[in-house]
Amino acid sequence: MRVDRILDDLNPDQRRAVLHGEGPLMVLAGAGSGKTRVITRRIARLLRDGVPPWSVLALTFTNKAADEMRRRVQDLGGDTVAVATFHSACARFLRQDAERLDYPRGFTIYDTYDRDQCLRMVAEEHGLDLQRVRPADLGRAISRLKNVRVRPAEFRPGHGELDRCVSLVYGPYEARMRRQGAMDFDDLLLNFLDLLEQHPEAAQAYQQRFRWVLVDEFQDTNLVQYQLLRQLCREHQNLCVVGDPDQSIYRFRGAEVRNMLEFQRDFPGTAVVRLETNYRSTPQIVHAAEAVIANNHMRLEKALHTENEPGEPIAVLRAPSPDAEAAAVAAGVRERLQDGASPADVAVFYRTHFLSRAVEEAFRGEGIPYVVVGGVSFFERREIKDLLAYLRAAVNPLDDVSFERILNVPARGFGKAALARLREAANQRACSLLEAVRDPEVRALLAGKARRGAESLASLYEELFTEVAHGAATSLGLVLERTGYREYACGLGDPEDVARSENIDELLTHATNYDAEHAGEGLPGYLQRVSLVTAEEEQGEPKGPRVSLMTVHAAKGLEFDHVYVVGMEEDLFPHSRAAGSDEDLEEERRLLYVAITRARRSVQLSHAAYRTVGGSIRHALPSPFLKELPAEVVARHGAADLRIESQDAEWEGSQETPDLECGARVRHPVYGEGVVLDVSGAGIRTRARIRFRDGAERTVLLDYVRLQILPPRGATW
DNA sequence: CGATCGTCCTTTTTT
DNA sequence: AGGACGATCG
């Protein structure tokens, strides 16, 4: 009998998806049902049937997922297939067609930090009080608008302070970004969509080039990504999307589960395949995950089952303290390792990054090798961002945010006054800061120290402009040599010096490797890559197997034998900021569903009796989600059940806090009448910002103060 | 102008 | 507890 590498080990449903011919295809794939396998095999099948590899485009959301898929596609012989994240694919396409959109080819990509920096400048220009509205808040709000394709002119602000500021700043921000030749992450998608819509000949070229498009984690596409797919596949309709509505966990950045519902409407004749057999986990794990997710109301019907052998119960652990929790996890992991598990088969998840700390310490104490995935990545470090900013300004001299970053780093006598003068000169000449510095007339306006600084910067950039063509590493070397940056950053005294110097070396190595591997791409290509790669895994993994520590978000798409989730506490998981609406709460539940279903063999969920939140200690209640686990598959440790019972009353009690809405009138026992501006937090930590009669705004902890809710009145003040 | 000190505020999740 | 930013002083 003949062996078929592509089809033999697939079940009938998987096979149907792989063999599906032309036309739209949607695969509803439960956790662990072989989703990635279906996509990669489908690609292999297409290639085997004569589809040219360059006409296939496979899209994912995270770099990690893209790397993984690329690896698996390559194993099946598809080395030249384009596998990319949405953002990196768009960036690459835009690089080709930037001019059509009036962007320079060397446009800069701003990460969140740069974006906020840019917003800070704009906000300052418009006299906003940055104490009250932080750039990051503006940035998030604007990003949310971009996710739903609301342009500045279309924005209808609500009554909040934030909206007012956004309406003031959004347009100018866009203008400034354009002037600087910069795009934020959202712009990458938006601008490419604009390109497709406004330039039919360009759209046609992409449609004809990529005749087969496949999308992983489709439940996380936002509106823009969805429209982009529709444009791209408008002619041929050869779009295969794979997703699981129960694993949609990016609502906060605009993901629309609705896309899965509307797909069949927008793509008539869609073939639908359901994958409901879980090949990954024990029945206990599958049952627990299903029981949790069953509490969500907004769901597509889907049932997951497994024929795997039974294993251990789900462990729920209560620890007296965060340190004890971490120690218990470390001890448990140690035991797994002694039983023969590889560290690479074990993972610890948490809802928020800061919870990694305690676990890290415990692991160090136990001598367990670990790696923190995500967090502050290599390319977000101060010294790395500084050096890259030098290069970015060289590739894109319009990029004021980057240039201003390095203008006085290391110090060159550019203080507040000199910077103001430089800005003014640039404004007058309608040019960028770097262009201004290059102008001898402008330099003549500066005082002694700053002038000398400007002279040296100007001459550095004259050289850099020619060096740019020679690649990333030599440009970087030039910057280091001419600025004395290394001495500046690694010179004086603190223990971080060595690490910073090592980081700089690592960047040099990284750049050298890139130049060697991507000869034609040059510095622009390099900068694009480092802007979109969050990865610390970028520099290979020569370090041997390690236990992975990561957020649940980062864990999506991965699987491990043994999974530990720490911080299973109210206000933490579900997160307090997500307690506002049912939609948010359901997303938190999906997050737990994702966490549990990562595990092949065992799951432990733990919580501590208190948590240190911001210097102060907070009593911590077990996550309400823990009560949703079916008793028959759970083993509780550390008197967890007892605590849950005894704390129920307390929990229920805090629910009695009256539901306050923004705009409600209230009476405060001390301050008298006021209007609620904002409600945040949850449970005993629900806070309301209230403006009182005397004009002052105060934040009130609802659990502490009995507010009397007054009947609404016509006028607000 | 820049370094040091003090204060404030933070901690959601990702490209 | 720790980092970022602002104010103050040299």
Side-chain angles (χ1 to χ4, degrees), chain A residues 176 179 397-398 400 403-404 418-439 442-443 445:
Chain A
R176 174 162 205 144
R179 198 172 72 226
L398 300 177
D400 280 354
F403 187 68
E404 200 174 314
L419 175 59
R421 196 167 297 182
L422 184 66
R423 273 190 183 152
E424 197 192 310
N427 274 342
Q428 264 172 22
R429 276 146 231 259
C431 71
S432 73
L433 295 177
L434 172 53
E435 285 165 345
V437 163
R438 293 178 66 200
D439 183 341
V442 173
R443 293 203 295 272
L445 297 171

mmCIF file of all heavy atoms in Angstrom, chain A residues 176 179 397-398 400 403-404 418-439 442-443 445:
data_model
loop_
_atom_site.group_PDB
_atom_site.id
_atom_site.type_symbol
_atom_site.label_atom_id
_atom_site.label_comp_id
_atom_site.label_asym_id
_atom_site.label_seq_id
_atom_site.Cartn_x
_atom_site.Cartn_y
_atom_site.Cartn_z
ATOM 1 N N ARG A 176 0.901 64.459 11.700
ATOM 2 C CA ARG A 176 2.296 64.433 12.088
ATOM 3 C C ARG A 176 2.972 63.134 11.651
ATOM 4 O O ARG A 176 4.097 63.122 11.163
ATOM 5 C CB ARG A 176 2.413 64.605 13.595
ATOM 6 C CG ARG A 176 3.813 64.430 14.027
ATOM 7 C CD ARG A 176 4.076 65.010 15.391
ATOM 8 N NE ARG A 176 5.487 65.319 15.458
ATOM 9 C CZ ARG A 176 5.998 66.355 16.073
ATOM 10 N NH1 ARG A 176 5.200 67.207 16.654
ATOM 11 N NH2 ARG A 176 7.285 66.526 16.094
ATOM 12 N N ARG A 179 3.669 63.382 8.059
ATOM 13 C CA ARG A 179 4.772 64.307 7.793
ATOM 14 C C ARG A 179 6.110 63.647 8.110
ATOM 15 O O ARG A 179 7.121 63.896 7.459
ATOM 16 C CB ARG A 179 4.582 65.566 8.646
ATOM 17 C CG ARG A 179 5.383 66.753 8.167
ATOM 18 C CD ARG A 179 5.005 67.999 8.931
ATOM 19 N NE ARG A 179 5.495 67.976 10.288
ATOM 20 C CZ ARG A 179 4.774 68.299 11.361
ATOM 21 N NH1 ARG A 179 3.528 68.657 11.218
ATOM 22 N NH2 ARG A 179 5.304 68.254 12.562
ATOM 23 N N PRO A 397 14.989 60.644 7.305
ATOM 24 C CA PRO A 397 15.348 61.900 7.969
ATOM 25 C C PRO A 397 14.137 62.706 8.419
ATOM 26 O O PRO A 397 14.305 63.682 9.144
ATOM 27 C CB PRO A 397 16.121 62.664 6.884
ATOM 28 C CG PRO A 397 16.492 61.656 5.861
ATOM 29 C CD PRO A 397 15.437 60.611 5.899
ATOM 30 N N LEU A 398 12.948 62.306 8.002
ATOM 31 C CA LEU A 398 11.748 63.022 8.440
ATOM 32 C C LEU A 398 11.318 62.593 9.833
ATOM 33 O O LEU A 398 10.468 63.216 10.456
ATOM 34 C CB LEU A 398 10.595 62.746 7.466
ATOM 35 C CG LEU A 398 10.811 63.152 6.015
ATOM 36 C CD1 LEU A 398 9.616 62.740 5.170
ATOM 37 C CD2 LEU A 398 11.038 64.653 5.917
ATOM 38 N N ASP A 400 11.105 62.631 13.171
ATOM 39 C CA ASP A 400 11.475 63.470 14.306
ATOM 40 C C ASP A 400 11.495 62.725 15.634
ATOM 41 O O ASP A 400 12.285 63.041 16.522
ATOM 42 C CB ASP A 400 10.503 64.651 14.424
ATOM 43 C CG ASP A 400 10.857 65.757 13.446
ATOM 44 O OD1 ASP A 400 11.915 65.639 12.783
ATOM 45 O OD2 ASP A 400 10.089 66.729 13.337
ATOM 46 N N PHE A 403 14.764 61.012 15.834
ATOM 47 C CA PHE A 403 15.886 61.936 15.909
ATOM 48 C C PHE A 403 15.912 62.670 17.236
ATOM 49 O O PHE A 403 16.964 62.839 17.852
ATOM 50 C CB PHE A 403 15.824 62.941 14.759
ATOM 51 C CG PHE A 403 17.034 63.818 14.683
ATOM 52 C CD1 PHE A 403 18.265 63.283 14.326
ATOM 53 C CD2 PHE A 403 16.959 65.167 14.991
ATOM 54 C CE1 PHE A 403 19.397 64.081 14.276
ATOM 55 C CE2 PHE A 403 18.081 65.972 14.943
ATOM 56 C CZ PHE A 403 19.300 65.426 14.588
ATOM 57 N N GLU A 404 14.763 63.034 17.703
ATOM 58 C CA GLU A 404 14.735 63.730 18.985
ATOM 59 C C GLU A 404 15.197 62.815 20.112
ATOM 60 O O GLU A 404 15.773 63.263 21.098
ATOM 61 C CB GLU A 404 13.324 64.256 19.265
ATOM 62 C CG GLU A 404 13.318 65.366 20.297
ATOM 63 C CD GLU A 404 11.944 66.002 20.470
ATOM 64 O OE1 GLU A 404 11.299 66.310 19.453
ATOM 65 O OE2 GLU A 404 11.541 66.186 21.626
ATOM 66 N N ALA A 418 17.756 74.839 23.770
ATOM 67 C CA ALA A 418 18.311 74.570 22.439
ATOM 68 C C ALA A 418 17.327 73.767 21.597
ATOM 69 O O ALA A 418 17.170 74.014 20.396
ATOM 70 C CB ALA A 418 19.635 73.824 22.576
ATOM 71 N N LEU A 419 16.666 72.834 22.227
ATOM 72 C CA LEU A 419 15.687 72.031 21.500
ATOM 73 C C LEU A 419 14.553 72.902 20.987
ATOM 74 O O LEU A 419 14.127 72.787 19.834
ATOM 75 C CB LEU A 419 15.144 70.921 22.411
ATOM 76 C CG LEU A 419 14.021 70.071 21.803
ATOM 77 C CD1 LEU A 419 14.501 69.390 20.529
ATOM 78 C CD2 LEU A 419 13.529 69.034 22.796
ATOM 79 N N ALA A 420 14.097 73.803 21.840
ATOM 80 C CA ALA A 420 13.010 74.692 21.436
ATOM 81 C C ALA A 420 13.437 75.526 20.228
ATOM 82 O O ALA A 420 12.675 75.708 19.271
ATOM 83 C CB ALA A 420 12.619 75.600 22.594
ATOM 84 N N ARG A 421 14.664 76.027 20.272
ATOM 85 C CA ARG A 421 15.149 76.845 19.174
ATOM 86 C C ARG A 421 15.222 76.031 17.875
ATOM 87 O O ARG A 421 14.824 76.479 16.803
ATOM 88 C CB ARG A 421 16.532 77.397 19.532
ATOM 89 C CG ARG A 421 16.940 78.545 18.647
ATOM 90 C CD ARG A 421 18.136 79.263 19.197
ATOM 91 N NE ARG A 421 17.867 79.885 20.492
ATOM 92 C CZ ARG A 421 18.766 80.606 21.158
ATOM 93 N NH1 ARG A 421 19.978 80.762 20.661
ATOM 94 N NH2 ARG A 421 18.467 81.142 22.304
ATOM 95 N N LEU A 422 15.704 74.809 18.033
ATOM 96 C CA LEU A 422 15.818 73.941 16.865
ATOM 97 C C LEU A 422 14.444 73.663 16.263
ATOM 98 O O LEU A 422 14.240 73.711 15.046
ATOM 99 C CB LEU A 422 16.505 72.640 17.262
ATOM 100 C CG LEU A 422 16.789 71.670 16.126
ATOM 101 C CD1 LEU A 422 17.813 72.253 15.170
ATOM 102 C CD2 LEU A 422 17.299 70.332 16.675
ATOM 103 N N ARG A 423 13.502 73.393 17.145
ATOM 104 C CA ARG A 423 12.148 73.112 16.670
ATOM 105 C C ARG A 423 11.580 74.296 15.919
ATOM 106 O O ARG A 423 10.947 74.137 14.867
ATOM 107 C CB ARG A 423 11.241 72.807 17.864
ATOM 108 C CG ARG A 423 11.260 71.363 18.274
ATOM 109 C CD ARG A 423 10.154 71.156 19.277
ATOM 110 N NE ARG A 423 10.147 69.807 19.791
ATOM 111 C CZ ARG A 423 9.694 69.487 21.003
ATOM 112 N NH1 ARG A 423 9.256 70.426 21.809
ATOM 113 N NH2 ARG A 423 9.688 68.237 21.393
ATOM 114 N N GLU A 424 11.809 75.459 16.483
ATOM 115 C CA GLU A 424 11.275 76.654 15.857
ATOM 116 C C GLU A 424 11.864 76.828 14.450
ATOM 117 O O GLU A 424 11.145 77.097 13.487
ATOM 118 C CB GLU A 424 11.609 77.855 16.731
ATOM 119 C CG GLU A 424 10.779 79.081 16.431
ATOM 120 C CD GLU A 424 11.364 80.297 17.128
ATOM 121 O OE1 GLU A 424 11.629 80.203 18.350
ATOM 122 O OE2 GLU A 424 11.593 81.314 16.445
ATOM 123 N N ALA A 425 13.168 76.633 14.380
ATOM 124 C CA ALA A 425 13.822 76.761 13.072
ATOM 125 C C ALA A 425 13.264 75.750 12.078
ATOM 126 O O ALA A 425 13.017 76.067 10.911
ATOM 127 C CB ALA A 425 15.331 76.585 13.231
ATOM 128 N N ALA A 426 13.038 74.544 12.566
ATOM 129 C CA ALA A 426 12.499 73.505 11.690
ATOM 130 C C ALA A 426 11.098 73.868 11.233
ATOM 131 O O ALA A 426 10.743 73.702 10.060
ATOM 132 C CB ALA A 426 12.501 72.157 12.412
ATOM 133 N N ASN A 427 10.308 74.383 12.159
ATOM 134 C CA ASN A 427 8.952 74.794 11.812
ATOM 135 C C ASN A 427 8.964 75.870 10.738
ATOM 136 O O ASN A 427 8.212 75.798 9.766
ATOM 137 C CB ASN A 427 8.235 75.328 13.054
ATOM 138 C CG ASN A 427 7.604 74.196 13.840
ATOM 139 O OD1 ASN A 427 7.417 73.103 13.306
ATOM 140 N ND2 ASN A 427 7.316 74.445 15.100
ATOM 141 N N GLN A 428 9.822 76.858 10.951
ATOM 142 C CA GLN A 428 9.897 77.961 9.993
ATOM 143 C C GLN A 428 10.230 77.462 8.594
ATOM 144 O O GLN A 428 9.705 77.931 7.600
ATOM 145 C CB GLN A 428 10.964 78.944 10.437
ATOM 146 C CG GLN A 428 10.395 80.113 11.217
ATOM 147 C CD GLN A 428 11.508 80.954 11.797
ATOM 148 O OE1 GLN A 428 12.633 80.907 11.306
ATOM 149 N NE2 GLN A 428 11.182 81.709 12.838
ATOM 150 N N ARG A 429 11.140 76.544 8.570
ATOM 151 C CA ARG A 429 11.567 76.047 7.262
ATOM 152 C C ARG A 429 10.715 74.889 6.759
ATOM 153 O O ARG A 429 11.011 74.304 5.720
ATOM 154 C CB ARG A 429 13.021 75.538 7.383
ATOM 155 C CG ARG A 429 14.051 76.632 7.245
ATOM 156 C CD ARG A 429 15.236 76.331 8.132
ATOM 157 N NE ARG A 429 15.519 77.515 8.952
ATOM 158 C CZ ARG A 429 16.490 78.388 8.679
ATOM 159 N NH1 ARG A 429 17.299 78.168 7.697
ATOM 160 N NH2 ARG A 429 16.657 79.443 9.430
ATOM 161 N N ALA A 430 9.722 74.515 7.569
ATOM 162 C CA ALA A 430 8.881 73.367 7.228
ATOM 163 C C ALA A 430 9.731 72.142 6.920
ATOM 164 O O ALA A 430 9.540 71.460 5.918
ATOM 165 C CB ALA A 430 7.975 73.692 6.043
ATOM 166 N N CYS A 431 10.691 71.915 7.762
ATOM 167 C CA CYS A 431 11.528 70.732 7.561
ATOM 168 C C CYS A 431 11.620 69.950 8.865
ATOM 169 O O CYS A 431 11.114 70.373 9.906
ATOM 170 C CB CYS A 431 12.919 71.132 7.069
ATOM 171 S SG CYS A 431 13.914 71.944 8.328
ATOM 172 N N SER A 432 12.264 68.807 8.803
ATOM 173 C CA SER A 432 12.378 67.983 10.000
ATOM 174 C C SER A 432 13.536 68.473 10.860
ATOM 175 O O SER A 432 14.338 69.311 10.436
ATOM 176 C CB SER A 432 12.611 66.529 9.603
ATOM 177 O OG SER A 432 13.922 66.376 9.110
ATOM 178 N N LEU A 433 13.622 67.938 12.064
ATOM 179 C CA LEU A 433 14.680 68.361 12.979
ATOM 180 C C LEU A 433 16.057 68.020 12.424
ATOM 181 O O LEU A 433 16.994 68.808 12.513
ATOM 182 C CB LEU A 433 14.484 67.695 14.343
ATOM 183 C CG LEU A 433 13.232 68.097 15.111
ATOM 184 C CD1 LEU A 433 13.134 67.310 16.415
ATOM 185 C CD2 LEU A 433 13.232 69.594 15.396
ATOM 186 N N LEU A 434 16.155 66.828 11.863
ATOM 187 C CA LEU A 434 17.456 66.434 11.321
ATOM 188 C C LEU A 434 17.850 67.332 10.156
ATOM 189 O O LEU A 434 19.002 67.771 10.046
ATOM 190 C CB LEU A 434 17.421 64.964 10.886
ATOM 191 C CG LEU A 434 18.632 64.441 10.116
ATOM 192 C CD1 LEU A 434 19.946 64.713 10.855
ATOM 193 C CD2 LEU A 434 18.496 62.939 9.860
ATOM 194 N N GLU A 435 16.895 67.635 9.300
ATOM 195 C CA GLU A 435 17.190 68.526 8.184
ATOM 196 C C GLU A 435 17.630 69.893 8.692
ATOM 197 O O GLU A 435 18.527 70.529 8.136
ATOM 198 C CB GLU A 435 15.968 68.657 7.267
ATOM 199 C CG GLU A 435 15.767 67.406 6.410
ATOM 200 C CD GLU A 435 14.373 67.346 5.769
ATOM 201 O OE1 GLU A 435 13.471 68.091 6.199
ATOM 202 O OE2 GLU A 435 14.208 66.537 4.851
ATOM 203 N N ALA A 436 16.999 70.319 9.774
ATOM 204 C CA ALA A 436 17.379 71.598 10.360
ATOM 205 C C ALA A 436 18.815 71.564 10.866
ATOM 206 O O ALA A 436 19.593 72.497 10.646
ATOM 207 C CB ALA A 436 16.424 71.962 11.490
ATOM 208 N N VAL A 437 19.160 70.484 11.535
ATOM 209 C CA VAL A 437 20.518 70.378 12.067
ATOM 210 C C VAL A 437 21.556 70.366 10.945
ATOM 211 O O VAL A 437 22.676 70.847 11.107
ATOM 212 C CB VAL A 437 20.646 69.100 12.940
ATOM 213 C CG1 VAL A 437 22.098 68.727 13.176
ATOM 214 C CG2 VAL A 437 19.944 69.304 14.269
ATOM 215 N N ARG A 438 21.151 69.834 9.806
ATOM 216 C CA ARG A 438 22.094 69.766 8.685
ATOM 217 C C ARG A 438 22.303 71.136 8.037
ATOM 218 O O ARG A 438 23.230 71.310 7.248
ATOM 219 C CB ARG A 438 21.582 68.784 7.627
ATOM 220 C CG ARG A 438 21.561 67.348 8.108
ATOM 221 C CD ARG A 438 21.010 66.444 7.031
ATOM 222 N NE ARG A 438 21.893 66.401 5.875
ATOM 223 C CZ ARG A 438 21.522 66.012 4.665
ATOM 224 N NH1 ARG A 438 20.281 65.670 4.444
ATOM 225 N NH2 ARG A 438 22.392 65.987 3.678
ATOM 226 N N ASP A 439 21.443 72.061 8.366
ATOM 227 C CA ASP A 439 21.517 73.382 7.743
ATOM 228 C C ASP A 439 22.458 74.283 8.542
ATOM 229 O O ASP A 439 22.195 74.579 9.706
ATOM 230 C CB ASP A 439 20.095 73.966 7.721
ATOM 231 C CG ASP A 439 20.051 75.317 7.023
ATOM 232 O OD1 ASP A 439 21.122 75.944 6.884
ATOM 233 O OD2 ASP A 439 18.958 75.739 6.634
ATOM 234 N N VAL A 442 20.977 77.162 10.442
ATOM 235 C CA VAL A 442 20.280 76.824 11.680
ATOM 236 C C VAL A 442 21.287 76.599 12.798
ATOM 237 O O VAL A 442 21.109 77.064 13.923
ATOM 238 C CB VAL A 442 19.400 75.570 11.490
ATOM 239 C CG1 VAL A 442 18.810 75.134 12.823
ATOM 240 C CG2 VAL A 442 18.304 75.833 10.476
ATOM 241 N N ARG A 443 22.343 75.916 12.466
ATOM 242 C CA ARG A 443 23.353 75.646 13.498
ATOM 243 C C ARG A 443 23.920 76.951 14.052
ATOM 244 O O ARG A 443 24.241 77.051 15.229
ATOM 245 C CB ARG A 443 24.480 74.781 12.931
ATOM 246 C CG ARG A 443 24.022 73.362 12.581
ATOM 247 C CD ARG A 443 25.187 72.399 12.569
ATOM 248 N NE ARG A 443 26.155 72.703 11.527
ATOM 249 C CZ ARG A 443 26.085 72.247 10.272
ATOM 250 N NH1 ARG A 443 25.076 71.475 9.904
ATOM 251 N NH2 ARG A 443 27.004 72.542 9.396
ATOM 252 N N LEU A 445 22.386 79.469 14.710
ATOM 253 C CA LEU A 445 21.475 80.060 15.689
ATOM 254 C C LEU A 445 21.702 79.530 17.094
ATOM 255 O O LEU A 445 21.174 80.061 18.062
ATOM 256 C CB LEU A 445 20.021 79.758 15.301
ATOM 257 C CG LEU A 445 19.510 80.326 13.977
ATOM 258 C CD1 LEU A 445 18.153 79.740 13.654
ATOM 259 C CD2 LEU A 445 19.434 81.846 14.069
#
